[in-house]
Amino acid sequence: MKFRLKKLAAVLAIGGAIFFGGNAQADAASMTNDGMWAFREAYTSQVPDTRVFEQDLTLIATNFHLDIDSKTQILKDGSFRMGGQFNWTYTNLKRNYSTNSTIPFYIEQIGNDMTLYVKRRGRWSKMLLPGLPSSIALLWKSNDPEITNAILDAVKKIEVLNDTPDLRTMNVTLDGMKLANILNANSEATFANLSGDALTEEKEIFYRWLSAFRKTDITFAWTVNKPSWTTATAAFDLTSIMRAYAIYVLDEAAAGRVVLTDEERDLLDAMGYYAELRSYTTQIKAQDDNFVDVPADLSAVPENDNSLDDIFREMTTVVEK
């Protein structure tokens, strides 16, 4: 089986940027542990009809730095828009030069369909993002008790760091195995518009990510505004998930089940042993000047899964042979 590099960085970056979407309303079973009760109280409280977040994601290694600055608007049904820019810095260690790129982007998800729009060399193109990013986004649906209860069941540990009348800060650990099962259960509809080789390729990527989730838990720091029970901040270190994914694919290659090019092996080495991935989310006021407006004409731009290939190639030079 061949491993395809296409879309990997996009899925990695976008999946990390949208990982946290706030809370949801449901009636879950009571929790006796004080920390779990504190989490449940915050997580299952009523959310406003529209939420807006500022988000920052950083992917960094020895010779590259990807920073995503974005703003996200989420509606009550889980539909969302994201807009911002990729800030890419690359240093060639052998030739002693650096490059910098600023790449405008939008993401739009309605129902099960997620689309990424990027502007390269003065032109917009789009790529579909089924699987991991779409499945994560579906967890944002605030009106689905089944999803909410499954997430509550995936909570492995809660540590309340600070609790005042205004703010509650917690370290939350989610069981990776249970989270993978939730993502898998909510993934099928995201592949509905694919068939043939495209469907096979996207599902292979997705199932590799699920294997990575099953190997590691996820811990994040979450601060909620208690008067409104809305997210103030959420900070994730997603390095362990990224590294588990890369090492899983490298192990598959070593066992002869996946065929890698030298370029792909170098990128996975970087992801598995050198790079770090972190995201930070801050909720801001939902008002007109903070909403995300995706230009209507972007829906007609051509599809291009290779629009970030130059970044992929630069990422692969991180490992010195």
Side-chain angles (χ1 to χ4, degrees):
M1 180 187 300
K2 289 186 177 181
F3 173 82
R4 289 179 170 83
L5 188 62
K6 183 177 67 174
K7 285 194 184 180
L8 179 56
V11 171
L12 177 70
I14 301 305
I18 68 174
F19 202 94
F20 191 81
N23 35 359
Q25 183 180 20
D27 183 15
S30 297
M31 299 179 184
T32 56
N33 177 274
D34 288 344
M36 292 293 286
W37 178 265
F39 177 82
R40 178 187 184 276
E41 183 179 34
Y43 187 72
T44 62
S45 296
Q46 180 67 49
V47 297
D49 290 346
T50 299
R51 290 165 285 163
V52 182
F53 297 91
E54 288 182 342
Q55 294 176 295
D56 180 84
L57 179 135
T58 300
L59 172 63
I60 188 168
T62 306
N63 66 332
F64 65 74
H65 185 174
L66 173 64
D67 187 76
I68 299 179
D69 294 320
S70 65
K71 189 178 294 181
T72 301
Q73 180 183 353
I74 311 169
L75 303 182
K76 192 171 181 62
D77 67 351
S79 301
F80 80 92
R81 287 176 165 180
M82 177 185 290
Q85 60 187 28
F86 300 138
N87 301 302
W88 173 253
T89 301
Y90 164 71
T91 301
N92 188 303
L93 300 175
K94 293 181 178 179
R95 298 183 181 180
N96 195 28
Y97 73 89
S98 296
T99 61
N100 297 278
S101 301
T102 299
I103 305 169
F105 79 92
Y106 292 98
I107 303 172
E108 189 168 43
Q109 168 136 350
I110 301 175
N112 299 313
D113 299 324
M114 176 183 287
T115 306
L116 166 67
Y117 303 95
V118 294
K119 188 176 184 181
R120 306 300 313 276
R121 304 170 188 89
R123 295 183 178 182
W124 286 93
S125 63
K126 65 184 178 184
M127 64 176 71
L128 302 179
L129 294 177
L132 184 70
S134 297
S135 299
I136 291 174
L138 289 178
L139 302 187
W140 288 3
K141 288 184 178 293
S142 60
N143 57 355
D144 191 335
E146 184 176 350
I147 292 177
T148 303
N149 290 335
I151 293 175
L152 287 168
D153 183 60
V155 175
K156 196 170 186 177
K157 181 181 178 182
I158 300 292
E159 182 183 5
V160 179
L161 303 178
N162 189 39
D163 201 356
T164 71
D166 295 320
L167 296 172
R168 177 177 295 165
T169 300
M170 298 167 281
N171 272 341
V172 182
T173 301
L174 300 177
D175 186 297
M177 179 68 74
K178 291 183 177 181
L179 190 56
N181 292 339
I182 298 169
L183 293 171
N184 190 37
N186 291 279
S187 68
E188 196 59 35
T190 72
F191 300 107
N193 294 326
L194 299 176
S195 61
D197 291 343
L199 177 61
T200 300
E201 178 180 345
E202 295 293 353
K203 283 199 169 184
E204 286 175 358
I205 294 172
F206 178 62
Y207 291 140
R208 289 180 187 127
W209 280 114
L210 290 186
S211 297
F213 273 87
R214 292 186 177 106
K215 292 178 181 295
T216 182
D217 296 333
I218 294 178
T219 298
F220 63 97
W222 184 30
T223 297
V224 293
N225 184 310
K226 289 176 68 175
S228 62
W229 291 119
T230 56
T231 294
T233 62
F236 282 84
D237 185 345
L238 299 170
T239 303
S240 60
I241 292 291
M242 175 183 65
R243 291 184 176 180
Y245 172 88
I247 292 170
Y248 174 80
V249 178
L250 289 169
D251 288 345
E252 289 286 285
R257 291 185 288 269
V258 174
V259 178
L260 299 176
T261 65
D262 289 343
E263 182 181 56
E264 290 163 348
R265 190 179 299 276
D266 284 352
L267 174 56
L268 291 166
D269 278 341
M271 290 170 54
Y273 300 101
Y274 298 91
E276 297 180 353
L277 178 65
R278 294 183 174 86
S279 69
Y280 188 80
T281 297
T282 303
Q283 186 160 350
I284 59 177
K285 190 173 182 179
Q287 56 190 29
D288 289 347
D289 57 350
N290 283 331
F291 292 159
V292 180
D293 296 318
V294 178
D297 57 353
L298 287 189
S299 61
V301 301
E303 188 173 345
N304 180 11
D305 286 346
N306 303 311
S307 57
L308 299 175
D309 274 5
D310 55 329
I311 289 179
F312 296 163
R313 285 191 293 272
E314 291 178 340
M315 288 174 72
T316 64
T317 66
V318 69
V319 181
E320 295 291 336
K321 299 297 183 183

